[in-house]
């Protein structure tokens, strides 16, 4: 055990003789919580058997709790907590027969955030509750899994539900399979269904339907379902069915850049945005992404019309823009940007929005809200968390102006920490930024800026035409750093992506590996 634990004699005694028959009692059981940070971090994630999903309470408040209903009275001999970074310094484990009146079974006063394995318990009850008393961080409490081990009473419900019948698949897409089945019956009541893909439980459903997502195109999968009751009794698995996903799309190409139009035209040999616009034209992309500072210096409507519109304006109908800091320099902040781009500036009523293409979910953010040395308005943050929670696509990209990491003139941006950490925790695959007038591609990184294959690939592409900035020493995670103009060519499939920087002479200046979506 990695934390100091006080075992209370009134609830706990040595039970070596009984623990040989201990089983995992908590997995898949109903969970209630005091709070959740968002729907992505629900209490059920703490008992789903996965160490890649987690419960997280609301930030900045004590105490918080998570309660597991074991379905019937049980002898509880061991509790294991697998902590995420937001751990508890002090907490209690409690048990109850009715879910209301609890008895303390163990206390931890020197938690260190590692795996806490609390053994030697003989607590008894139907409900087991974690109560966080003192947070170790400014966040809430969060663990990947809470596991309760022991044995159920033989006098409880031991009858399993009937086997679900009628499992059928609807129309499969390249990345999803919709499933339905007939309801099972039980002597007490069915509480849910396990969905098995290729023999492994991938989800639980409270209803008689489920859509499996994030699949590979042109691939066969075998499905079955089984029913569970409140006591944890499981039916045999249903008769399996095999479903093949549809063929994936042939993929698509996007063009992307930030910091684009200086107040100059093609009549000047030093004017770059006409040259980068020609690169976009040659790519013939499905969509064009801009990462802010579309028009210099103060982004008046007259400047948009005189400069940006004459070059990059050719792609306006398929452009998915976001604003940078220069768009706020207009006499009325954002007015030139809003008036020029019209409906595409706010396709969902705000300057932040999401859109989809193929198996990709794209998130466009206005990072001006997060660049004032304070974390931005809760409205955009709340929208972002909900948008990520609602996403069903297998690949995710986000783009906003101010980068978290940069070896350019502006350097690392601490105001983007919260955004970056959310990108990491949400398994976003690709993050595109501007602001620094250069090109920098990073290897995948974690929240601390360390190389981590599970993190997003960040690319600073502020090379669309604005005067270039001097470079600082590269980060340890920098894969390529260039003081040059160019446009990003993004080659996307349903399950992967590769990026290239195309210089104004048409030459490929950098090529990334092909990354598989998280």
């Amino acid at each position: 055990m990695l934390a100091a634990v006080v075992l209370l004699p009134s609830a706990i005694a040595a039970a070596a003789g009984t623990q040989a028959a201990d089983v995992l009692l908590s997995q898949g059981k109903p969970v209630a919580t005091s709070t959740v940070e968002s729907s992505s971090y629900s209490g059920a994630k703490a008992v789903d058997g996965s160490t890649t999903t987690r419960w997280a309470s609301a930030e900045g408040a004590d105490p918080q709790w998570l309660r597991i209903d074991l379905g019937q009275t049980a002898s509880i001999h061991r509790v294991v907590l697998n902590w995420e970074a937001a751990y508890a310094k002090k907490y209690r484990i409690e048990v109850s027969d009715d879910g209301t009146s609890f008895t303390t079974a163990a206390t931890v006063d020197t938690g260190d955030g590692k795996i806490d394995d609390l053994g030697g318990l003989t607590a008894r009850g139907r409900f087991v509750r974690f109560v966080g008393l003192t947070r170790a961080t400014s966040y809430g409490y969060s663990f990947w899994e809470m596991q309760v081990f022991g044995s159920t009473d033989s006098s409880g419900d031991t009858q399993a539900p009937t086997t679900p019948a009628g499992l059928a698949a609807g129309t499969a897409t390249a990345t999803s399979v919709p499933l339905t089945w007939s309801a099972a019956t039980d002597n007490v009541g069915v509480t849910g269904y396990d969905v098995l893909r290729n023999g492994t439980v991938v989800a639980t459903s409270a209803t008689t339907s489920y859509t499996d997502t994030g699949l590979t195109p042109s691939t066969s999968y075998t499905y079955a379902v089984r029913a569970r009751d409140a006591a944890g009794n499981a039916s045999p698995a249903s008769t399996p069915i095999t479903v093949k996903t549809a063929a994936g799309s042939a993929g698509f190409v996007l063009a992307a850049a930030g910091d684009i139009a200086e107040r100059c035209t093609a009549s000047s040999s030093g004017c770059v945005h006409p040259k980068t616009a020609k690169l976009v034209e040659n790519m013939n992309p499905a969509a064009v992404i801009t990462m802010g500072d579309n028009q210099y210096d103060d982004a008046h409507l007259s400047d948009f019309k005189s400069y940006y519109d004459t070059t990059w304006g050719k792609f306006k109908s398929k452009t998915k823009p976001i604003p940078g800091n220069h768009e706020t320099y207009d006499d009325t902040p954002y007015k030139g940007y809003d008036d020029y781009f019209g409906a595409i500036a706010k396709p969902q009523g705000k300057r932040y929005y999401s859109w989809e293409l193929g198996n990709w979910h794209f998130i466009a953010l206005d990072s001006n809200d997060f660049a004032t040395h304070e974390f931005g308005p809760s409205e955009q943050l709340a929208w972002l968390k909900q948008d990520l929670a609602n996403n069903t696509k297998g690949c995710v990209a986000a783009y906003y102006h101010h980068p978290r990491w940069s070896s350019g003139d502006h350097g690392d941006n601490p105001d983007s920490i919260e955004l970056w950490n959310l990108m990491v925790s949400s398994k976003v695959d690709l993050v595109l930024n501007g602001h620094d007038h250069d090109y920098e591609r990073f290897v995948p990184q974690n929240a601390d800026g360390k190389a981590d294959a599970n993190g997003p690939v960040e690319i600073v592409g502020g090379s669309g035409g604005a005067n270039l900035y001097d470079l600082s020493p590269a980060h340890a995670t920098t894969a390529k750093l260039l003081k040059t103009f160019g446009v990003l060519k993004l080659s996307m499939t349903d399950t992967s992506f590769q990026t290239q920087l195309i210089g104004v002479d048409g030459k490929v200046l950098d090529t990334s590996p092909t990354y598989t979506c998280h």
Side-chain angles (χ1 to χ4, degrees), residues 501-516:
L501 178 68
I502 311 300
V504 292
D505 59 359
K507 294 182 179 179
V508 177
L509 303 180
D510 181 46
T511 299
S512 79
T514 296
Y515 289 102
T516 300

Side-chain angles (χ1 to χ4, degrees), residues 209-227:
S209 65
Y210 176 75
T211 298
D212 195 21
T213 60
L215 305 177
T216 302
S218 301
T219 303
S220 293
Y221 296 94
T222 299
Y223 291 98
V225 293
R226 65 188 179 208

Side-chain angles (χ1 to χ4, degrees), residues 28-42:
K29 292 304 192 327
V31 173
T33 62
S34 53
T35 63
V36 294
E37 180 183 342
S38 75
S39 59
S40 298
Y41 307 114
S42 65

Side-chain angles (χ1 to χ4, degrees), residues 377-447:
S378 59
E379 180 183 11
Q380 184 173 179
L381 177 61
W383 173 89
L384 173 58
K385 290 183 175 180
Q386 190 61 54
D387 183 81
L388 285 164
N390 292 343
N391 171 51
T392 61
K393 298 294 185 178
C395 303
V396 183
Y399 55 104
Y400 47 94
H401 189 60
H402 301 83
R404 171 66 185 97
W405 312 106
S406 176
S407 305
D409 184 67
H410 289 299
D412 294 344
N413 184 5
D415 300 316
S416 291
I417 288 176
E418 296 289 352
L419 278 179
W420 177 257
N421 290 353
L422 186 56
M423 298 297 127
V424 172
S425 64
S426 301
K427 301 295 184 183
V428 171
D429 299 288
L430 176 64
V431 174
L432 303 176
N433 304 117
H435 199 43
D436 264 327
H437 300 185
D438 56 42
Y439 169 81
E440 185 168 18
R441 176 174 59 84
F442 292 87
V443 301
Q445 300 173 92
N446 61 22

Side-chain angles (χ1 to χ4, degrees), residues 114-126:
K114 299 179 181 178
I115 295 177
D116 291 348
D117 192 337
L118 315 181
L121 316 181
T122 55
R124 184 176 169 79
R126 172 173 170 168

Side-chain angles (χ1 to χ4, degrees), residues 85-106:
Y87 68 95
K89 286 185 179 178
K90 296 183 178 182
Y91 66 90
R92 292 195 303 264
I93 301 297
E94 302 177 337
V95 296
S96 170
D97 290 324
D98 58 9
T100 302
S101 299
F102 282 85
T103 300
T104 299

Side-chain angles (χ1 to χ4, degrees), residues 167-199:
L167 177 62
T171 302
T173 70
T175 58
S176 66
V177 172
L179 301 168
T180 58
W181 56 91
S182 300
T185 60
D186 184 67
N187 62 315
V188 176
V190 174
T191 58
Y193 299 87
D194 294 335
V195 179
L196 295 86
R197 183 207 307 144
N198 297 338

Side-chain angles (χ1 to χ4, degrees), residues 26 28-33 42-47 66-69:
S26 52
K29 292 304 192 327
V31 173
T33 62
S42 65
K45 300 293 180 67
V47 295
L66 179 144
R67 187 192 73 191
I68 304 171
D69 180 358

